[in-house]
Amino acid sequence: AAVRGRPLERIVVRAGARIHVLPLDQIDYIEARDDTVRIRAGKEDHFKPQTLAEVEAGLPAGRFVRVHRSYLLNLDRLARLERYAKDSHLAILQDGARLPVSRAGYARLKALL
């Protein structure tokens, strides 16, 4: 799904005998889960045996941002940010999903917004 030197345009996920091709604009967020990632696209979850850092390295800069050590957020899906505690925030997505935002993730978000 990627040409050398260019960011990914889609992510390919194998699920049994099926292969799903997920365009980046359909992905809401990507979550780290041990040695796999969960890719949330609409109401569906897809799992891929890859680390979050590996996925992040192939994504276009400025479109996805790491808001927490376990989450990459598609900026197009962000509806709002809410303060959760003194130094932490929540990213509220358009579908109502809530993702934790670390201090460093908040700084990255502020720089891009």
Side-chain angles (χ1 to χ4, degrees):
V3 177
R4 281 182 203 234
R6 289 189 18 210
L8 293 172
E9 295 176 9
R10 62 195 63 81
I11 294 178
V12 178
V13 180
R14 181 180 301 258
R18 294 183 178 183
I19 296 175
H20 299 276
V21 179
L22 306 171
L24 294 184
D25 61 350
Q26 292 181 5
I27 296 172
D28 299 321
Y29 63 89
I30 303 169
E31 177 187 5
R33 291 195 165 187
D34 296 323
D35 291 336
T36 63
V37 291
R38 176 177 74 133
I39 302 167
R40 181 69 173 188
K43 295 182 187 273
E44 295 183 11
D45 289 327
H46 303 275
F47 296 90
K48 183 173 177 110
Q50 196 170 18
T51 67
L52 195 61
E54 291 170 344
V55 174
E56 182 179 24
L59 294 172
R63 185 159 184 195
F64 284 80
V65 62
R66 189 182 287 240
V67 294
H68 185 273
R69 67 181 181 171
S70 299
Y71 291 95
L72 286 169
L73 168 66
N74 182 346
L75 282 176
D76 294 335
R77 296 293 197 258
L78 180 64
R80 68 183 183 276
L81 288 169
E82 290 182 0
R83 184 176 295 272
Y84 178 68
K86 180 182 175 192
D87 287 330
S88 63
H89 292 79
L90 288 174
I92 312 300
L93 280 58
Q94 293 170 356
D95 68 354
R98 302 163 73 87
L99 304 181
V101 179
S102 66
R103 273 183 283 170
Y106 183 71
R108 284 190 287 271
L109 268 174
K110 277 180 54 173
L112 291 172
L113 298 176

